[in-house]
């Protein structure tokens, strides 16, 4: 019997060649205090042992962990991979976890309570930028979502406050919990983006259409490493090219959604 107070949370993790990290990521889900979850692992064409590790976990926990891949083990990008995971998920709530990050044990429990208390379609929280996993001389840093904390926002307030149009820090993909029905209603991830900005385009749909709660809690660790997508995109010319692509997408999205707010 379905218990509305204990809804299933589907955690979507797409991965590509993350052999050194994926074990720790999966273990962080297995150690969650909230038990009604499933983990959907989407293999985006890995060529290292990531595939084997993910399949081993799915075999050990068939009721909790789902392994899937694209046809012919193709690499199709994070947007298409996350959308595949969402399609296969069976929970009423969605969380996202990149395959090199981790959730702290009380993550799902904490965000679910906020979700139920606030009736928000999306809950965002701070993230711990994780440096000392490799460099013990450097301390970690908790980065809050760059706006007023512990507040429910109505559309389109967060568009003005947060990156990529505002000055406030954007949330990390591992620091959110969303209603699956809202995710599907707004088209999930836009497959026009193959990496950079796919999470921002996803978030903007919520900022423009749904109530979003921002919490000052922090129950996740966002691993900082040189080979990650974010670090590899920081060259100025590449960043400007990707941002221009995003802004043209946003212009079309606003027009198609008949959003005429002059400030935005």
């Amino acid at each position: 019997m379905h218990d509305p107070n204990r809804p299933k949370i589907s955690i979507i993790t797409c991965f590509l060649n993350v052999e050194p990290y994926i074990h720790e990521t999966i273990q962080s889900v297995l150690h969650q205090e909230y038990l009604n979850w499933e983990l959907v692992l989407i293999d985006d064409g890995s060529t290292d042992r990531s595939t084997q590790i993910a399949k081993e976990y799915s075999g050990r926990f068939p009721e909790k962990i789902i392994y899937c891949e694209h046809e012919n083990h193709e690499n199709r990008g994070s947007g298409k991979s996350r959308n595949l995971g969402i399609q296969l998920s069976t929970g009423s709530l969605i969380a996202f976890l990149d395959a090199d990050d981790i959730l702290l044990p009380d993550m799902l429990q904490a965000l679910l309570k906020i979700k139920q208390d606030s009736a928000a379609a999306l809950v965002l929280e701070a993230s711990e930028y994780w440096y000392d996993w490799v460099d013990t001389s450097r301390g970690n840093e908790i980065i809050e979502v760059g706006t007023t904390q512990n507040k429910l926002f109505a559309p389109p307030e967060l568009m003005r406050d947060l990156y990529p149009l505002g000055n406030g820090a954007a949330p990390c993909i591992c620091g959110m919990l969303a209603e699956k029905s809202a995710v599907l209603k707004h088209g999930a991830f836009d497959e026009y983006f193959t990496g950079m900005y796919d999470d921002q385009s996803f978030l903007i749909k919520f900022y423009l259409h749904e109530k979003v709660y921002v919490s000052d809690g922090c129950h996740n660790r966002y691993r900082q490493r040189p080979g990650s997508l974010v670090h590899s995109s920081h060259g100025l010319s590449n960043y400007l090219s990707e941002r221009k692509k995003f802004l043209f997408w946003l212009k079309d999205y606003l027009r198609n959604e008949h959003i005429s707010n002059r400030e935005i």
Side-chain angles (χ1 to χ4, degrees):
M1 183 176 179
H2 174 67
D3 182 353
N5 293 314
R6 309 290 290 178
K8 181 187 285 187
I9 300 174
S10 298
I11 303 158
I12 309 299
T13 297
C14 61
F15 66 93
L16 174 64
N17 296 336
V18 286
E19 180 183 339
Y21 316 110
I22 190 170
H23 169 79
E24 191 173 14
T25 297
I26 295 172
Q27 283 292 322
S28 78
V29 178
L30 289 169
H31 291 152
Q32 287 299 297
E33 295 170 1
Y34 186 79
L35 300 180
N36 195 13
W37 55 263
E38 66 178 5
L39 175 61
V40 185
L41 299 171
I42 310 96
D43 190 341
D44 195 21
S46 295
T47 56
D48 65 1
R49 288 189 66 256
S50 301
T51 299
Q52 180 182 340
I53 294 168
K55 286 182 175 179
E56 287 173 355
Y57 271 104
S58 179
R60 287 171 56 195
F61 303 96
E63 302 297 319
K64 301 291 283 184
I65 300 178
I66 301 164
Y67 171 88
C68 62
E69 60 184 354
H70 301 292
E71 188 175 1
N72 299 319
H73 200 68
E74 290 179 353
N75 170 246
R76 297 187 180 178
S78 57
K80 287 186 177 181
S81 296
R82 288 183 180 131
N83 284 345
L84 176 59
I86 292 166
Q87 290 168 16
L88 294 173
S89 68
T90 61
S92 60
L93 298 172
I94 300 282
F96 301 100
L97 178 61
D98 283 351
D100 53 354
D101 302 330
I102 65 170
L103 306 181
L104 300 183
D106 55 347
M107 164 77 171
L108 297 182
Q109 187 169 275
L111 265 61
L112 176 60
K113 185 177 189 310
I114 294 171
K115 167 77 182 66
Q116 292 175 328
D117 291 345
S118 67
L122 175 68
V123 176
L124 307 175
E125 72 162 13
S127 291
E128 182 178 357
Y129 281 55
W130 190 15
Y131 297 97
D132 68 4
W133 70 274
V134 68
D135 181 3
T136 55
S137 68
R138 181 169 184 180
N140 299 337
E141 183 180 6
I142 293 177
I143 304 292
E144 293 181 340
V145 179
T147 187
T148 306
Q149 301 298 295
N150 303 317
K151 177 181 174 181
L152 183 66
F153 290 85
E157 291 178 88
L158 290 177
M159 285 285 288
R160 296 189 294 263
D161 292 353
L162 303 180
Y163 179 88
L165 298 188
N167 294 322
C172 297
I173 196 78
C174 53
M176 59 181 72
L177 181 69
E179 288 179 356
K180 183 179 179 180
S181 59
V183 170
L184 295 176
K185 180 170 66 174
H186 301 303
F189 286 84
D190 199 298
E191 296 179 2
Y192 173 67
F193 301 99
T194 56
M196 192 175 180
Y197 282 109
D198 66 339
D199 53 345
Q200 299 306 323
S201 58
F202 172 88
L203 286 163
I204 275 173
K205 297 172 184 179
F206 279 84
Y207 298 164
L208 288 171
H209 297 293
E210 303 288 348
K211 291 182 179 179
V212 179
Y213 191 92
V214 174
S215 168
D216 67 355
C218 181
H219 307 86
N220 66 90
R221 286 182 175 159
Y222 176 41
R223 192 188 302 265
Q224 304 299 292
R225 61 185 181 92
S228 68
L229 175 65
V230 171
H231 281 85
S232 63
S233 68
H234 276 181
L236 181 60
S237 61
N238 188 42
Y239 170 77
L240 292 176
S241 174
E242 292 294 322
R243 184 169 176 82
K244 182 178 180 181
K245 179 180 177 181
F246 164 76
L247 290 172
F248 274 113
W249 171 87
L250 179 57
K251 179 181 177 182
D252 289 340
Y253 182 79
L254 294 173
R255 181 172 60 243
N256 293 336
E257 294 293 308
H258 307 291
I259 294 171
S260 57
N261 181 299
R262 291 183 63 84
E263 185 180 8
I264 293 171

